[in-house]
Amino acid sequence: MIIDHGKGLVFRPPAEANSLILRITIGCSHNACAFCAMYRRTKFLVRTDDEIFHLIELAAEKYPLTRRVFLADGNALVLSTEQLLSIISKLKSTFPKLTRVACYGGPRDILRKTVNELTVLREAGLKIVYLGIESGDDGVLIRVNKGVNSMEMVAAGQRVLKSGIKLSAMVILGLGGNEKSAQHALNTARVLNLINPTILSTLTLTLYEGTPLWESVQKGEFIPLSKEETLLELRQLLSNIQFSRPCIFRSDHASNLLPLSGTLNKDKDKLLSELNDVIDFFHGR
Ligand code: SF4
């Protein structure tokens, strides 16, 4: 369910398929990650309160029983806490059955908010933030121009969780390429262990023409992983994850070769066993 009068394509996490997608911004405030083509041609703008409230009224006519709302586009947390509170308050008064509001949060935007501000947002109704960690390796984060280092990413993830908001973290298999695969896997596991997100999803690197990473591949500066190498990297990542609280794990994104799901650490051995079966298949055993 998309209420949209803006430009460009609309993206949302798979888990928000049944949510009302409300574009409070158009595009991404960062819009500089070397692998990302999502909003590359979309000029970033924040919608005015009048526009947003008008969209909410339109949505109420079409979808009055809305329970979940996803605030799009790329980094809704770029808005001030006051703006977000006023939008959530309008949503609550418009949709009596509303149970949760969710959004993407860029690490720098999260770090611009205090734990107290995030807690107030959670109490107002912001229940889940999706954070693209992508990698826990500083070299990879610099190369893909994520805009933060690994410890800033840890601080952002921990801050969301400290406020009581659920954190859905995403990492990208293959983002270190052939050269940095091992350090990408090990350091991503290290960062994930420090954050211990509520939900963890792995995506597999997809190269899009026109992105800086795609250009690097053309120049031979970045060698993508093969399917088998991607599975080996996932095994290295999973093997090194050691959470202290349960974390829902999914690798069900369309980009992935092998859909896996379970709860970490409880299902770690089962997930590794499923993964090993497929790796053996590649080895012809
Ligand atoms: S922050 Fe997210 S949406 Fe924005 S450029 Fe990076 S990956 Fe793309």
Side-chain angles (χ1 to χ4, degrees):
M1 302 184 294
I2 299 173
I3 283 295
D4 174 41
H5 287 261
K7 291 179 180 163
L9 297 172
V10 182
F11 299 88
R12 48 111 184 118
E16 300 294 332
N18 296 319
S19 302
L20 171 71
I21 311 299
L22 178 67
R23 301 181 79 186
I24 63 172
T25 72
I26 303 292
C28 166
S29 56
H30 181 56
N31 208 13
C33 297
F35 55 87
C36 179
M38 293 205 296
Y39 305 109
R40 198 151 281 273
R41 292 195 180 86
T42 307
K43 189 172 181 298
F44 176 73
L45 65 90
V46 178
R47 283 185 147 147
T48 64
D49 285 355
D50 284 352
E51 279 179 294
I52 295 167
F53 285 17
H54 175 63
L55 289 178
I56 293 173
E57 298 291 345
L58 284 180
E61 287 169 22
K62 288 177 91 169
Y63 313 111
L65 302 179
T66 292
R67 289 177 174 274
R68 293 180 168 196
V69 174
F70 180 76
L71 302 177
D73 285 334
N75 289 327
L77 284 185
V78 73
L79 267 66
S80 72
T81 302
E82 291 70 30
Q83 281 174 294
L84 288 166
L85 285 172
S86 124
I87 293 165
I88 295 171
S89 164
K90 173 71 178 170
L91 287 169
K92 275 163 78 176
S93 62
T94 307
F95 299 109
K97 293 192 176 299
L98 188 72
T99 56
R100 93 172 193 191
V101 177
C103 67
Y104 286 124
R108 280 167 40 175
D109 297 324
I110 292 169
L111 291 173
R112 270 191 281 270
K113 300 204 184 307
T114 63
V115 174
N116 196 35
E117 285 178 277
L118 291 167
T119 304
V120 170
L121 285 167
R122 193 252 305 152
E123 288 166 351
L126 181 65
K127 301 294 186 206
I128 184 158
V129 166
Y130 293 84
L131 172 65
I133 290 177
E134 332 299 11
S135 176
D137 183 73
D138 284 321
V140 174
L141 287 170
I142 288 170
R143 175 165 209 169
V144 302
N145 203 21
K146 190 67 195 172
V148 289
N149 62 33
S150 63
M151 289 322 289
E152 288 168 324
M153 192 66 88
V154 169
Q158 289 180 339
R159 191 168 299 186
V160 170
L161 289 168
K162 205 167 179 188
S163 73
I165 297 174
K166 289 180 180 162
L167 182 73
S168 183
M170 295 153 287
V171 300
I172 302 180
L173 300 171
L175 196 58
N178 184 287
E179 187 195 350
K180 295 188 193 309
S181 178
Q183 67 191 70
H184 170 54
L186 291 173
N187 284 322
T188 301
R190 174 183 60 84
V191 160
L192 289 169
N193 289 341
L194 289 168
I195 297 176
N196 200 153
T198 321
I199 300 164
L200 168 64
S201 305
T202 54
L203 287 68
T204 299
L205 177 65
T206 305
L207 292 158
Y208 295 98
E209 190 170 348
T211 59
L213 201 56
W214 186 86
E215 303 286 349
S216 299
V217 174
Q218 307 314 304
K219 291 181 198 153
E221 296 165 358
F222 182 92
I223 301 168
L225 296 188
S226 67
K227 287 178 179 169
E228 184 185 356
E229 287 168 335
T230 304
L231 292 175
L232 291 170
E233 187 178 281
L234 175 57
R235 181 166 72 182
Q236 196 168 18
L237 173 72
L238 273 179
S239 303
N240 284 281
I241 282 179
Q242 204 56 249
F243 290 142
S244 51
R245 296 182 303 273
C247 168
I248 297 165
F249 173 73
R250 303 180 186 129
S251 72
D252 56 357
H253 189 264
S255 63
N256 288 321
L257 183 65
L258 175 65
L260 292 171
S261 64
T263 302
L264 294 170
N265 302 321
K266 181 170 71 71
D267 298 327
K268 186 165 149 180
D269 289 346
K270 176 179 82 72
L271 293 167
L272 284 170
S273 163
E274 286 176 41
L275 190 48
N276 281 331
D277 286 347
V278 181
I279 290 169
D280 285 349
F281 173 79
F282 271 95
H283 285 152
R285 288 194 287 257

